[in-house]
Amino acid sequence: MKRLLLAIALVAGLVTGCSARTELIVLGPWSGAEEQSFRAMFAGFEAQHDVTIDYIGTPAVNQVLQADVQKGQPPDVAVLSSPGELARYTADGLHKLSGVSETEYSQQWRTLLRLGTPDLYAVPVKADLKSIVWFNKNNPPDASAKSWPGLLDYTAKVKPAWCLGMEAFSTSGWPGTDWIEDILLHQSGPGVYEAWANGALPWTADAVRAAWTTWGQLLATQGTPGMRSAALLTYFGDAGKQMFATPPGCHLEHQGSFATGSYPKGADYDFLPFPTIGHVPDAWEVSVNVAGLFTDNPLAREFMTYLAGAQAQAVWPARQDSSAFSVNQKVLAASVYKGSVSPRIAAVLASAPRLCLDASDVMPAAMADAFSRAVLEFLGDPGRLGDILSGLDQVRTGLADEARLSAPCG
């Protein structure tokens, strides 16, 4: 009897060994609900290829990837928070892509995904639109707020106009960097913005200083007691919720398209495009999570092609209560976005004529961190702007040899 059981066990082991599924290792930044959405995105590939994808999610994705690349043990695919982070690997482990259908993406995205090179290196997983101002649809701003002078007038008239939250744990201050970036883009144009983002324009340049002082002007116009200190202590994900309180604690929020995921369930919201401040072409600031190929595994190459296609790209945006967006134009045409707000955001992301990546996502990590800290210093004491900008420029010159993305606008 024991011999019979042993024989059965051996046969079972052989069968299991013969049908063992191939495994791909994918590194990314998501955990919790976002991890589940990403897993749903690649579940179709696992089923089609009888493959198990070993997804490793960590908030320290950059540090983990750098260590793995240095050890010569990279994941097959890594998803990073920006093309700027991925661009640093074009000379060290990142593989060019082939077989990905670029026809599903606008020319702007084809440019951005080349990471400043002639070749395709990245696949967008999901994106966010940054150049927007949110409001409670049941308490909308005046129509004049669509212009910068009108927005200033509204800020002076309605107290408090702006929902402000700078607290973000180890990255506190980044919501303020979005303000500076959007103002610079819409005040001085994509050319100046691009030069500044890639480190060619000093922080002490007139255009950069003007962006900071313009934000300072708006903050001074709001002028509510304790506004600056409250912003420093308010978690960014909580700030906009006050738009839906009774009475409202604030009326407008400058935040990316992901902000709606933090708003109260059932909240009725809408947005205005960030207004142009100078006579410059219309442009939108965006952020995007991108996947890169770090091994020459043929199955990993197939996975990258799958990840870029409309089948996978439609999954995350279609999930319940999702605030994720694809830049794949076939997904836009498939009407997976519901309501009156999401389709408009998706249309801008997929088809806008001029897009610029979030500048702090493009900058070297040390520069982006200094930028965030500088926002906190500026809120604490706007009178120190000269010293703050000089300090930022010292960081910039010290990073002159750092690899960076040279084309943040598409």
Side-chain angles (χ1 to χ4, degrees), residues 217-243:
Q217 176 190 16
L218 180 136
L219 294 173
T221 302
Q222 172 144 327
T224 51
M227 174 266 296
R228 292 175 183 273
S229 57
L232 292 171
L233 298 173
T234 300
Y235 181 64
F236 79 93
D238 293 335
K241 295 176 182 177
Q242 294 303 310
M243 287 191 295

Side-chain angles (χ1 to χ4, degrees), residues 226-299:
M227 174 266 296
R228 292 175 183 273
S229 57
L232 292 171
L233 298 173
T234 300
Y235 181 64
F236 79 93
D238 293 335
K241 295 176 182 177
Q242 294 303 310
M243 287 191 295
F244 307 98
T246 305
C250 53
H251 295 76
L252 302 172
E253 183 178 35
H254 174 256
Q255 189 57 276
S257 53
F258 54 82
T260 61
S262 298
Y263 292 163
K265 192 169 177 132
D268 198 4
Y269 47 77
D270 204 345
F271 71 92
L272 300 170
F274 195 89
T276 293
I277 305 173
H279 298 289
V280 296
D282 288 339
W284 300 81
E285 184 185 2
V286 298
S287 63
V288 61
N289 292 102
V290 285
L293 181 67
F294 283 83
T295 69
D296 208 13
N297 181 340
L299 192 62

Side-chain angles (χ1 to χ4, degrees), residues 199 364 366-367 390-402 404:
M367 187 77 259
S390 294
L392 286 171
D393 212 49
Q394 288 179 5
V395 176
R396 177 188 71 91
T397 55
L399 296 170
D401 295 331
E402 285 271 335
R404 65 183 77 204

Side-chain angles (χ1 to χ4, degrees), residues 14-304:
L14 289 171
V15 170
T16 303
C18 291
S19 62
R21 292 154 59 114
T22 309
E23 184 177 89
L24 289 178
I25 297 176
V26 176
L27 177 68
W30 300 299
S31 59
E34 288 184 311
E35 176 180 339
Q36 295 311 308
S37 294
F38 184 49
R39 286 183 178 277
M41 196 174 179
F42 61 65
F45 183 85
E46 289 181 305
Q48 289 174 19
H49 293 267
D50 192 29
V51 57
T52 296
I53 293 178
D54 181 10
Y55 171 72
I56 303 168
T58 170
V61 63
N62 288 317
Q63 294 88 334
V64 172
L65 178 61
Q66 185 177 15
D68 288 349
V69 169
Q70 288 175 346
K71 290 185 296 186
Q73 299 173 338
D76 294 292
V77 172
V79 184
L80 300 180
S81 298
S82 79
E85 294 167 353
L86 197 60
R88 290 159 205 151
Y89 294 96
T90 53
D92 185 20
L94 189 64
H95 292 264
K96 300 173 187 177
L97 300 180
S98 59
V100 174
S101 176
E102 294 186 74
T103 60
E104 298 178 10
Y105 294 89
S106 70
Q107 183 57 55
Q108 288 68 40
W109 282 107
R110 293 182 212 173
T111 299
L112 294 173
L113 297 173
R114 276 170 163 67
L115 309 184
T117 77
D119 302 296
L120 183 67
Y121 274 102
V123 165
V125 178
K126 71 180 184 72
D128 288 294
L129 187 62
K130 289 290 190 84
S131 298
I132 48 183
V133 174
W134 293 102
F135 61 88
N136 184 338
K137 202 170 181 179
N138 297 312
N139 188 24
D142 302 337
S144 62
K146 293 180 180 179
S147 71
W148 185 256
L151 202 58
L152 284 176
D153 289 344
Y154 182 83
T155 301
K157 181 172 61 176
V158 179
K159 304 291 186 179
W162 292 95
C163 315
L164 293 170
M166 298 294 143
E167 171 59 42
F169 307 115
S170 63
T171 58
S172 291
W174 72 256
T177 69
D178 281 0
W179 269 106
I180 302 300
E181 291 158 0
D182 245 340
I183 291 172
L184 181 60
L185 178 61
H186 290 87
Q187 190 170 51
S188 298
V192 173
Y193 180 93
E194 192 166 77
W196 168 66
N198 66 27
L201 186 69
W203 287 83
T204 52
D206 290 345
V208 181
R209 184 182 298 273
W212 286 81
T213 55
T214 299
W215 189 40
Q217 176 190 16
L218 180 136
L219 294 173
T221 302
Q222 172 144 327
T224 51
M227 174 266 296
R228 292 175 183 273
S229 57
L232 292 171
L233 298 173
T234 300
Y235 181 64
F236 79 93
D238 293 335
K241 295 176 182 177
Q242 294 303 310
M243 287 191 295
F244 307 98
T246 305
C250 53
H251 295 76
L252 302 172
E253 183 178 35
H254 174 256
Q255 189 57 276
S257 53
F258 54 82
T260 61
S262 298
Y263 292 163
K265 192 169 177 132
D268 198 4
Y269 47 77
D270 204 345
F271 71 92
L272 300 170
F274 195 89
T276 293
I277 305 173
H279 298 289
V280 296
D282 288 339
W284 300 81
E285 184 185 2
V286 298
S287 63
V288 61
N289 292 102
V290 285
L293 181 67
F294 283 83
T295 69
D296 208 13
N297 181 340
L299 192 62
R301 286 189 173 277
E302 288 189 52
F303 177 66
M304 293 291 286

